[in-house]
Amino acid sequence: MRAGDDTGSLDQATREFMAARPKLFGIAYRVLGSAVEAEDIVQEAWLRWQNTNHGDIDKSAAFLATVTSRLAINLAQSARMRRESYVGPWLPEPVDTSVDPQVGAERAEALDMAVLFLLEKLNPMERAAYVLREAFDYPYKRIADILETSEANTRQLVSRARKHLSVERREPASSDDHRWLLEVFLSAAQTGNLSALEEVLTEDVVNYSDGGGARGISKIPVVGRLRVSKFLVAWGPRYWPQADVRWVEANGRPAVLVWADGWPTALLNADVSARGIERLMWVANPAKLAPYLASLNH
């Protein structure tokens, strides 16, 4: 092959990879719940793609999706052990979806912070099967090939994931209702209005604070309407007077970025249903906030 042919082939391979890249990131991010780890997986997929004989591959997108899915599953298996030793609640890394609302998916499924949080409780094979089916609408046969298992087992994996989510999570509120309830909550939290907090929180609400072990951030979830309300009222006077808030979008939902002393300190996400606020998720780990903040500045 002439040098010019090599260059043309590499250019074509690069174009094919870049076209598939949003989907590859979308798969890896949903399986791992981490934007940083997803970028690492995409980079590894690129390296493998460069070292592949492209003439032997009929469908580049299918090949890349398979490589990415398998790499993500492998990393998820080791990440699970690391997260078991994580100090305090582990929450997914948020992503800015204001530019790309679906992060590479045909459907914006398995992107909500609450869904990613619940998927973390499943094993990596179940997560991958669910993501490929629900977010990317892959046929069961195709998913079975990617996961190197039977089609029957693939159906069981997806079914178990669906059942887990249906048991653990209620139907989410519309984006407008989500924003309104979060606004009411924020006002009540800032003013220490206990009765107003109790009105918007569900009876079994859970408050999660992911600070990665940082001092001053609760390392255990706070559970129940009264406990969460009292916790927020007691904590508020030390937090809100020096804080500013900015409304942003994270994982397809309205969210609140909290600043203190000119520096972003937390991203507040909520899981909201018709009943009210089901989960409060405060991402305060600087390592998790950094990629999100970088995307906002682009």
Side-chain angles (χ1 to χ4, degrees):
M1 182 179 286
R2 294 187 302 273
D5 293 333
D6 286 339
T7 302
S9 177
L10 180 58
D11 288 346
Q12 177 63 23
T14 301
R15 285 194 295 271
E16 290 172 352
F17 180 86
M18 294 308 295
R21 195 184 193 288
K23 176 180 281 190
L24 304 184
F25 177 85
I27 292 171
Y29 174 69
R30 287 167 171 82
V31 173
L32 294 164
S34 166
V36 171
E37 290 177 351
E39 287 290 359
D40 289 343
I41 291 296
V42 172
Q43 182 63 24
E44 178 63 26
W46 165 240
L47 293 175
R48 295 195 179 196
W49 180 237
Q50 285 181 301
N51 295 321
T52 298
N53 185 346
H54 305 120
D56 294 338
I57 298 171
D58 291 331
K59 297 181 179 179
S60 57
F63 172 85
L64 288 166
T66 298
V67 169
T68 299
S69 299
R70 291 176 182 172
L71 287 170
I73 289 169
N74 290 339
L75 184 56
Q77 288 166 341
S78 61
R80 193 170 195 174
M81 291 185 287
R82 293 199 306 276
R83 288 169 189 173
E84 286 175 358
S85 60
Y86 192 81
V87 179
W90 180 92
L91 292 174
E93 285 178 20
V95 292
D96 176 18
T97 47
S98 60
V99 177
D100 179 1
Q102 298 177 330
V103 192
E106 276 81 41
R107 298 183 287 178
E109 298 291 331
L111 186 57
D112 192 295
M113 285 284 284
V115 173
L116 292 173
F117 174 69
L118 293 173
L119 286 178
E120 178 68 17
K121 298 180 182 181
L122 300 175
N123 69 53
M125 288 282 280
E126 289 169 334
R127 291 212 301 277
Y130 180 84
V131 164
L132 292 170
R133 180 64 185 171
E134 295 299 318
F136 295 90
D137 203 23
Y138 278 28
Y140 285 106
K141 177 65 169 66
R142 176 83 182 90
I143 300 171
D145 291 342
I146 291 173
L147 302 183
E148 298 179 298
T149 187
S150 68
E151 187 172 342
N153 187 47
T154 298
R155 290 180 181 274
Q156 288 183 337
L157 292 171
V158 174
S159 177
R160 284 201 296 269
R162 284 174 176 162
K163 185 177 294 185
H164 171 71
L165 289 174
S166 67
V167 168
E168 293 285 335
R169 190 181 189 222
R170 295 178 182 271
E171 183 71 23
S174 69
S175 185
D176 287 344
D177 288 345
H178 184 113
R179 165 89 185 222
W180 177 77
L181 272 169
L182 200 50
E183 285 176 344
V184 174
F185 164 81
L186 191 60
S187 175
Q190 289 173 316
T191 57
N193 190 330
L194 186 65
S195 61
L197 283 170
E198 291 179 339
E199 285 182 14
V200 296
L201 301 177
T202 60
E203 184 179 355
D204 50 355
V205 64
V206 185
N207 184 89
Y208 299 96
S209 302
D210 180 345
R215 185 180 176 186
I217 297 176
S218 176
K219 296 178 177 61
I220 57 172
V222 184
V223 183
R225 176 188 289 144
L226 187 56
R227 286 179 178 172
V228 171
S229 297
K230 287 184 174 179
F231 169 77
L232 292 168
V233 168
W235 172 67
R238 299 193 303 271
Y239 187 68
W240 293 114
Q242 71 270 23
D244 295 311
V245 299
R246 171 183 169 187
W247 283 93
V248 292
E249 182 180 300
N251 296 69
R253 292 282 178 176
V256 178
L257 188 59
V258 184
W259 298 69
D261 300 321
W263 193 257
T265 58
L267 181 71
L268 170 60
N269 302 268
D271 184 17
V272 182
S273 74
R275 299 196 313 162
I277 295 175
E278 307 273 356
R279 292 177 180 84
L280 290 162
M281 296 169 284
W282 304 80
V283 179
N285 184 336
K288 292 186 177 183
L289 280 177
Y292 180 82
L293 294 169
S295 69
L296 286 183
N297 294 328
H298 285 165

